Amino acid sequence: MRDFAAFMHPELNDLPVNILYNLDTTGGNSGSPVMNAYGELIGVNFDRAYSATINDYAWNESYSRSVGVDIRYVLWILQKVAKAQFLLDEMKI
């Protein structure tokens, strides 16, 4: 079932699940918001690439890679899987 509604990425014609980005994260950052340059919530941080663990000691953008879940996927899960439309209504989404 491909009922992605308003959460579908228009260029991909699909629902993004994960995002990869080069922000500095460390242990304990899971669940932190991922925001874009406009201050919009675009995801939730949950992991980093193994090669980025060195950033705890010496940060380098060239190998800093973190992984987050795309907020559109989170919202879709709330609506379609968790049946929590009331939460989306409360957030005016």
Side-chain angles (χ1 to χ4, degrees):
M1 177 184 220
R2 297 182 53 87
D3 184 15
F4 302 144
F7 307 120
M8 185 170 21
H9 189 287
E11 294 176 22
L12 298 175
N13 198 31
D14 206 350
L15 179 64
V17 175
N18 295 321
I19 54 177
L20 182 66
Y21 49 96
N22 66 349
L23 293 177
D24 188 19
T25 61
T26 189
N29 285 154
S30 295
S32 296
V34 178
M35 304 179 104
N36 66 14
Y38 305 105
E40 300 166 329
L41 178 65
I42 62 167
V44 179
N45 178 64
F46 71 83
D47 203 357
R48 63 181 165 171
Y50 178 76
S51 62
T53 57
I54 190 66
N55 283 343
D56 287 344
Y57 306 100
W59 189 78
N60 186 323
E61 183 179 0
S62 67
Y63 52 80
S64 178
R65 296 292 177 267
S66 295
V67 184
V69 61
D70 193 294
I71 198 64
R72 291 169 285 204
Y73 184 70
V74 173
L75 296 172
W76 180 80
I77 289 290
L78 281 172
Q79 184 182 61
K80 301 296 182 182
V81 178
K83 306 293 185 201
Q85 181 63 44
F86 66 95
L87 293 175
L88 298 176
D89 293 343
E90 186 176 320
M91 293 183 280
K92 297 180 174 45
I93 295 175

